[in-house]
Amino acid sequence: MRLESHKNIISKLIRSFLVFAVLLKSAKEAGRTVRKANKYKMKGGVALFDRYPQTVYPGINDGPKIREVLVDKLPRVLRPFGLLMARWEERIISKAASNSPDIVIKLMLPPEESIRRKPFENYEMVKRKHEIIKAITFEEATVYEVDATQNYQEELVAIKNILWKNICKL
């Protein structure tokens, strides 16, 4: 069966539930991955993430998304359910984010360069993400910034040097 109309309430309900399911699954996966990494770390392992859960900036950069992205778009009758799902997602993300990483490597790319590389992106959103990445902190982590405008090999060497320097401290 194909749902033809975006105005159709059944279509909106189904789409809303699917978005809830996807966002909650993503939050649960983040929590599971962080727990697994912490167990691995406790046994002497090293876990690398390309992104890490955070709660300071909802709706962006691996923060909780349901409240920011979905709740206001729901039909009035579904908003209480949406808020319940948002609180659930926020608890999952908050618990995952409470396990601070040891090292954070921020790949810093000016918004203008990011737009040059991906011209289809929205400049204001790219600029906002850049500002968030600059501002975001992880309490117990040592934070390094790597210039992502340099050529790939130089960037990779800089990242490897940071990792080796910190592994040797163990």
Side-chain angles (χ1 to χ4, degrees):
M1 175 174 101
R2 184 176 170 158
L3 301 171
E4 297 293 332
S5 171
H6 290 286
K7 303 213 184 280
N8 181 331
I9 189 69
I10 305 235
S11 173
K12 284 184 180 181
L13 288 173
I14 291 170
R15 287 180 30 197
S16 296
F17 284 115
L18 290 173
V19 171
F20 282 134
V22 167
L23 293 176
L24 283 173
K25 182 179 182 195
S26 176
K28 287 179 182 179
E29 185 63 32
R32 191 171 21 260
T33 303
V34 169
R35 283 191 306 277
K36 191 175 176 181
N38 281 334
K39 286 180 185 176
Y40 188 60
K41 176 181 150 185
M42 297 307 287
K43 293 179 181 178
V46 175
L48 299 175
F49 290 78
D50 63 339
R51 301 184 326 185
Y52 202 81
Q54 57 83 25
T55 58
V56 180
Y57 299 97
I60 200 165
N61 284 34
D62 291 305
K65 293 179 177 57
I66 292 175
R67 187 180 305 272
E68 293 289 316
V69 174
L70 187 60
V71 171
D72 289 341
K73 295 177 184 175
L74 291 172
R76 185 178 294 257
V77 70
L78 278 183
R79 287 193 186 144
F81 177 74
L83 290 171
L84 180 70
M85 294 293 102
R87 285 191 295 273
W88 187 13
E89 178 198 38
E90 289 160 1
R91 274 195 308 271
I92 293 168
I93 299 280
S94 181
K95 189 173 180 181
S98 70
N99 295 299
S100 181
D102 297 321
I103 302 166
V104 172
I105 300 171
K106 295 181 180 184
L107 301 178
M108 301 306 295
L109 187 66
E112 297 75 22
E113 177 61 18
S114 182
I115 289 295
R116 189 187 70 72
R117 293 180 184 185
K118 294 182 178 178
F120 52 87
E121 296 283 339
N122 175 293
Y123 180 76
E124 290 305 315
M125 182 58 79
V126 168
K127 186 175 175 186
R128 181 170 180 244
K129 285 182 177 182
H130 176 75
E131 290 167 1
I132 287 171
I133 290 169
K134 281 175 65 172
I136 198 165
T137 60
F138 293 91
E139 286 183 28
E140 299 170 29
T142 303
V143 178
Y144 297 89
E145 291 187 5
V146 172
D147 177 9
T149 61
Q150 59 190 327
N151 77 51
Y152 179 72
Q153 290 304 319
E154 291 172 355
E155 185 179 332
L156 197 55
V157 166
I159 293 167
K160 287 178 180 180
N161 285 339
I162 291 167
L163 293 174
W164 279 115
K165 174 180 151 186
N166 284 276
I167 287 172
C168 290
K169 287 181 183 178
L170 299 176

